[in-house]
Amino acid sequence: MSRLKEVFDWRFWIWQPILAFLLPFLIDQIHFLGTNFKIIGLLFILNSAFSVFVGLYLRSHGSFWYLLIVWPLIFALATWLGFNESLYGYFFAILYLVIGIFSYTHGQTEEIDYNDQIPVDGGFKGDR
Protein backbone atom coordinates (compact mmCIF):
# COMPACT_ATOMS: atom_id res chain seq x y z
CA MET A 1 0.00 0.00 0.00
CA SER A 2 2.88 2.41 0.71
CA ARG A 3 4.21 1.75 -2.78
CA LEU A 4 0.87 2.82 -4.21
CA LYS A 5 0.85 6.00 -2.09
CA GLU A 6 4.24 7.02 -3.46
CA VAL A 7 2.90 6.83 -7.01
CA PHE A 8 0.20 9.38 -6.21
CA ASP A 9 2.70 12.10 -5.32
CA TRP A 10 1.68 15.53 -6.64
CA ARG A 11 5.00 16.07 -8.42
CA PHE A 12 4.26 13.20 -10.74
CA TRP A 13 0.58 13.85 -11.48
CA ILE A 14 0.20 17.64 -11.32
CA TRP A 15 3.13 18.60 -13.53
CA GLN A 16 2.02 16.39 -16.43
CA PRO A 17 -1.13 18.33 -17.37
CA ILE A 18 0.59 21.63 -16.63
CA LEU A 19 3.41 20.86 -19.07
CA ALA A 20 1.16 19.22 -21.66
CA PHE A 21 -1.86 21.55 -21.66
CA LEU A 22 -1.37 24.76 -19.70
CA LEU A 23 2.11 25.89 -20.76
CA PRO A 24 1.53 25.36 -24.51
CA PHE A 25 -1.75 27.26 -24.21
CA LEU A 26 -0.09 30.13 -22.35
CA ILE A 27 2.80 30.33 -24.81
CA ASP A 28 0.30 30.48 -27.69
CA GLN A 29 -1.51 33.36 -25.94
CA ILE A 30 1.67 35.39 -25.37
CA HIS A 31 2.36 36.83 -28.79
CA PHE A 32 5.94 37.99 -28.28
CA LEU A 33 7.08 34.41 -27.62
CA GLY A 34 7.58 32.77 -30.97
CA THR A 35 7.16 29.27 -32.23
CA ASN A 36 10.88 28.63 -31.90
CA PHE A 37 10.70 29.32 -28.16
CA LYS A 38 7.80 26.89 -27.84
CA ILE A 39 9.58 24.15 -29.78
CA ILE A 40 13.06 24.54 -28.32
CA GLY A 41 12.38 25.94 -24.86
CA LEU A 42 9.22 24.14 -23.84
CA LEU A 43 8.87 21.02 -25.94
CA PHE A 44 12.51 20.06 -26.20
CA ILE A 45 14.37 21.34 -23.13
CA LEU A 46 11.74 21.60 -20.39
CA ASN A 47 9.65 18.56 -21.30
CA SER A 48 12.73 16.40 -21.96
CA ALA A 49 14.07 17.35 -18.53
CA PHE A 50 10.68 16.45 -17.07
CA SER A 51 10.85 13.08 -18.86
CA VAL A 52 14.19 12.43 -17.18
CA PHE A 53 12.62 13.40 -13.85
CA VAL A 54 9.70 11.02 -14.44
CA GLY A 55 12.02 8.09 -15.17
CA LEU A 56 14.26 8.79 -12.20
CA TYR A 57 11.30 9.46 -9.90
CA LEU A 58 9.55 6.22 -10.79
CA ARG A 59 12.73 4.21 -10.42
CA SER A 60 13.76 5.77 -7.11
CA HIS A 61 10.32 5.17 -5.61
CA GLY A 62 10.12 1.60 -6.90
CA SER A 63 7.00 2.43 -8.85
CA PHE A 64 5.42 0.40 -11.57
CA TRP A 65 7.37 0.58 -14.83
CA TYR A 66 4.26 0.94 -16.96
CA LEU A 67 3.65 4.41 -15.49
CA LEU A 68 6.41 5.58 -17.85
CA ILE A 69 3.85 5.69 -20.64
CA VAL A 70 1.47 8.05 -18.81
CA TRP A 71 3.44 11.24 -19.51
CA PRO A 72 3.87 10.57 -23.27
CA LEU A 73 0.17 9.62 -23.52
CA ILE A 74 -0.92 12.85 -21.82
CA PHE A 75 1.31 14.82 -24.17
CA ALA A 76 -0.06 12.92 -27.19
CA LEU A 77 -3.59 13.69 -25.96
CA ALA A 78 -2.69 17.38 -25.73
CA THR A 79 -1.35 17.19 -29.28
CA TRP A 80 -4.51 15.48 -30.47
CA LEU A 81 -6.62 18.18 -28.81
CA GLY A 82 -4.63 20.87 -30.63
CA PHE A 83 -2.44 22.30 -27.86
CA ASN A 84 0.66 21.32 -29.83
CA GLU A 85 1.32 21.03 -33.55
CA SER A 86 0.50 17.56 -34.81
CA LEU A 87 3.43 17.71 -37.23
CA TYR A 88 5.96 17.21 -34.46
CA GLY A 89 3.86 16.68 -31.30
CA TYR A 90 3.56 12.92 -31.68
CA PHE A 91 7.29 12.61 -32.35
CA PHE A 92 7.97 14.52 -29.15
CA ALA A 93 5.67 12.10 -27.29
CA ILE A 94 7.76 9.19 -28.58
CA LEU A 95 10.94 11.07 -27.62
CA TYR A 96 9.61 11.59 -24.09
CA LEU A 97 8.86 7.87 -23.79
CA VAL A 98 12.37 6.95 -24.92
CA ILE A 99 13.98 9.48 -22.56
CA GLY A 100 11.83 8.20 -19.69
CA ILE A 101 12.79 4.59 -20.39
CA PHE A 102 16.49 5.51 -20.58
CA SER A 103 16.40 7.38 -17.30
CA TYR A 104 14.35 4.60 -15.65
CA THR A 105 16.73 1.82 -16.72
CA HIS A 106 20.00 3.75 -16.44
CA GLY A 107 22.56 1.90 -14.32
CA GLN A 108 20.48 -1.17 -13.57
CA THR A 109 23.21 -3.47 -14.81
CA GLU A 110 25.68 -1.88 -12.42
CA GLU A 111 23.82 -2.17 -9.15
CA ILE A 112 26.02 -1.39 -6.16
CA ASP A 113 25.66 -4.70 -4.36
CA TYR A 114 25.21 -7.03 -7.34
CA ASN A 115 28.91 -7.80 -7.86
CA ASP A 116 29.70 -7.83 -4.14
CA GLN A 117 27.29 -10.59 -3.18
CA ILE A 118 28.85 -13.54 -1.41
CA PRO A 119 27.68 -16.95 -2.62
CA VAL A 120 26.57 -19.25 0.15
CA ASP A 121 27.47 -22.88 -0.57
CA GLY A 122 25.10 -25.36 0.98
CA GLY A 123 22.57 -22.67 1.90
CA PHE A 124 22.36 -20.38 4.87
CA LYS A 125 22.56 -22.03 8.28
CA GLY A 126 21.56 -19.88 11.18
CA ASP A 127 22.05 -20.46 14.88
CA ARG A 128 19.44 -22.82 16.22
Side-chain angles (χ1 to χ4, degrees), residues 20-82:
F21 296 102
L22 186 63
L23 279 180
F25 175 75
L26 291 175
I27 288 176
D28 284 341
Q29 299 304 314
I30 300 172
H31 298 292
F32 64 87
L33 294 176
T35 305
N36 290 335
F37 177 79
K38 181 179 178 183
I39 294 171
I40 296 170
L42 175 67
L43 299 180
F44 188 72
I45 295 174
L46 186 63
N47 287 354
S48 294
F50 181 70
S51 298
V52 171
F53 168 76
V54 166
L56 293 174
Y57 174 80
L58 292 176
R59 179 174 176 200
S60 68
H61 285 81
S63 298
F64 308 107
W65 63 267
Y66 52 82
L67 288 175
L68 286 171
I69 199 151
V70 171
W71 162 235
L73 283 178
I74 289 175
F75 188 81
L77 176 67
T79 301
W80 184 69
L81 291 174

Side-chain angles (χ1 to χ4, degrees), residues 75-95:
F75 188 81
L77 176 67
T79 301
W80 184 69
L81 291 174
F83 287 92
N84 299 301
E85 294 290 328
S86 61
L87 177 64
Y88 49 80
Y90 297 114
F91 293 111
F92 273 115
I94 293 169
L95 175 71

Side-chain angles (χ1 to χ4, degrees), residues 53 82 87 95 99 102 113-114 120 127:
F53 168 76
L87 177 64
L95 175 71
I99 290 172
F102 282 161
D113 63 345
Y114 182 74
V120 179
D127 295 333

Side-chain angles (χ1 to χ4, degrees), residues 91-112:
F91 293 111
F92 273 115
I94 293 169
L95 175 71
Y96 302 151
L97 177 64
V98 170
I99 290 172
I101 290 171
F102 282 161
S103 64
Y104 184 83
T105 59
H106 173 70
Q108 286 185 348
T109 58
E110 300 172 4
E111 291 293 329
I112 295 171

